[in-house]
Amino acid sequence: FPVFLHPESQEEYALARTERKTAQGYHGFAVHADPSITLEQDLLRRDLTINAIAQRPDGSYVDPYNGLEDLRQRRLRHVSEAFAEDPVRILRLARFAARYAALGFEVAPETQALVRRMVAAGEVDALVAERVWAETYKALGEDHAAVYFSCLHEWGVLRIVMPELDRLWGIPQPAAHHPEIDTGWHTMMVLQQCIGLGSDKSARFAALCHDLGKGTTARHKLPRHIAHEERGVPLVMQLCARLRAPKAERELAVLCARWHLHCHRLAQLRPQSLVKLLDAIDPRRRAERLEQFALVCEADARGRLGYFEIAYPQREWLLQAAERYCAVRPPPGLTGPAVRDALHDERVRVLRSWKRSLHA
């Protein structure tokens, strides 16, 4: 569609336009732009009423779809049924709900009903991985990112784009350790704890994925989730492949899914198991990943009802252990597998000594 740059300021000016649906998905549009199209027609194609407000040079507003009132009511509402023509708008709607949750904004009931009709009509099936990942990664940057995933779950969208995550809702956990019971809500609590601890978006994505294995626990074994860490790894790989998530995000998410319980039990781990954990993290070459992993584990421990403020010394213990692990150097004169074996043995010895001091 026609966008022009001002020759001096380089500001962008787009001609008013209309869009007509020609096929399923968000590519299936015919765009029409010419001077006969009115401002009201142009505003009609916007997704939400709060985005369908224009301002005149004198400062007054053109507000044909009551966007100002929706702003006052803190309401996210679609402009017209044309919203249903583009499934990406659902993801943006959920992202805006997350962004403005702290201000009290909520999605209008009629807009939620429209989204559910879009899901039933198969429009969400037309979403491609790159768009889902792009909107999701942006949402992970919001202070209330859990709202994004909760909305998509409630509307029936998450079961289509991220079924591995969606199936966690309704899965019980032992009440003694998880007073919130529901694994889906636990995951949302972990995500919010991760945000509160100052994580980056990669760690937040890993927090989403850390308990995916609980969604495959046999019903007769609930609410216990024995070996959910191992079962979670292929699910993380599957989810990341579908979303075409970058390698760094995939690797961290797999690491957190597989090893988070080891971090929780660090004080009880044998030195050999601690070396195995640190081998997987690879702190010598991936110091940033060590910090991310430790933070996600702390968020997991705190992401439970009544546990939001608990101390988590394991995070500092892991960093101490990693420092000693990284300080080990192979003895001179060795080559090949002998170097690896010598490093392993010395790391076990060093960490055994460190653990004695930890328990002293």
Side-chain angles (χ1 to χ4, degrees):
F1 53 85
V3 176
F4 300 93
L5 295 180
H6 190 284
E8 296 176 1
S9 69
Q10 296 300 299
E11 290 180 329
E12 294 184 357
Y13 290 85
L15 284 187
R17 66 185 191 271
T18 59
E19 297 164 348
R20 180 172 53 85
K21 186 74 167 172
T22 58
Q24 194 176 50
Y26 57 88
H27 285 305
F29 287 94
V31 177
H32 176 64
D34 68 48
S36 68
I37 295 173
T38 67
L39 179 58
E40 288 73 17
Q41 288 175 311
D42 178 80
L43 294 175
L44 183 63
R45 69 175 178 79
R46 309 299 171 94
D47 46 6
L48 302 176
T49 59
I50 62 172
N51 292 336
I53 307 169
Q55 190 174 33
R56 299 184 182 93
D58 64 6
S60 61
Y61 293 105
V62 179
D63 180 28
Y65 307 110
N66 298 315
L68 290 173
E69 178 60 22
D70 284 338
L71 276 176
R72 284 188 284 269
Q73 297 294 328
R74 289 172 167 77
R75 184 166 52 212
L76 300 173
R77 183 170 60 86
H78 63 286
V79 175
S80 73
E81 290 293 312
F83 182 99
E85 296 176 348
D86 184 356
V88 175
R89 288 171 175 167
I90 297 175
L91 303 178
R92 287 202 299 264
L93 174 64
R95 182 161 58 83
F96 289 154
R99 175 177 296 177
Y100 300 119
L103 297 176
F105 276 79
E106 295 182 351
V107 180
E110 60 267 35
T111 300
Q112 296 191 54
L114 177 59
V115 169
R116 292 188 175 97
R117 291 199 299 273
M118 292 172 67
V119 173
E123 275 290 334
V124 176
D125 300 337
L127 283 168
V128 298
E130 290 83 357
R131 296 305 296 268
V132 175
W133 175 257
E135 291 295 327
T136 298
Y137 204 63
K138 289 177 185 176
L140 286 170
E142 304 295 349
D143 288 343
H144 293 271
V147 173
Y148 172 84
F149 299 97
S150 298
C151 284
L152 295 184
H153 167 69
E154 291 172 14
W155 301 336
V157 177
L158 201 64
R159 65 178 171 80
I160 298 171
V161 297
M162 302 181 206
E164 299 86 356
L165 178 61
D166 184 73
R167 68 167 65 104
L168 295 182
W169 272 267
I171 300 294
Q173 303 168 106
H177 303 292
H178 286 277
E180 72 284 351
I181 307 294
D182 190 279
T183 306
W185 289 116
H186 163 62
T187 302
M188 295 299 98
M189 291 176 184
V190 174
L191 174 57
Q192 287 304 132
Q193 284 290 320
C194 208
I195 293 169
L197 290 168
S199 63
D200 60 18
K201 290 191 280 189
S202 297
R204 298 175 190 189
F205 179 70
L208 279 179
C209 298
H210 82 285
D211 267 353
L212 293 186
K214 290 182 178 180
T216 62
T217 300
R219 290 286 172 180
H220 70 277
K221 294 182 178 180
L222 294 173
R224 301 182 68 199
H225 296 277
I226 297 172
H228 75 274
E229 317 95 275
E230 291 88 349
R231 286 185 282 110
V233 170
L235 296 173
V236 175
M237 297 290 287
Q238 179 178 293
L239 175 63
C240 289
R242 184 187 313 105
L243 297 179
R244 300 183 186 175
K247 180 181 178 182
E249 277 71 18
R250 182 185 73 238
E251 289 181 346
L252 180 61
V254 166
L255 183 72
C256 292
R258 176 63 184 86
W259 298 102
H260 64 279
L261 289 189
H262 275 60
C263 190
H264 297 336
R265 300 166 181 161
L266 197 143
Q268 291 78 44
L269 285 185
R270 295 182 302 119
Q272 293 88 342
S273 298
L274 183 52
V275 169
K276 190 175 181 180
L277 168 61
L278 290 167
D279 284 344
I281 297 172
D282 193 10
R284 283 195 66 194
R285 293 184 298 176
R286 307 294 295 274
E288 179 184 1
R289 191 163 72 178
L290 171 69
E291 295 279 356
Q292 292 170 319
F293 173 79
L295 186 150
V296 171
C297 291
E298 180 173 359
D300 181 36
R302 290 184 171 188
R304 300 174 289 164
L305 281 179
Y307 290 80
F308 296 161
E309 302 294 332
I310 65 163
Y312 190 74
Q314 293 93 324
R315 182 176 176 185
E316 180 58 32
W317 293 344
L318 181 64
L319 300 181
Q320 291 177 15
E323 183 178 1
R324 287 156 177 78
Y325 171 98
C326 292
V328 173
R329 293 292 183 269
L334 298 180
T335 59
V339 175
R340 179 196 62 212
D341 295 342
L343 276 173
H344 177 271
D345 293 345
E346 181 62 11
R347 284 166 174 163
V348 169
R349 187 193 68 78
V350 166
L351 291 176
R352 180 179 290 114
S353 175
W354 169 75
K355 285 206 70 181
R356 289 196 191 102
S357 67
L358 191 66
H359 294 292

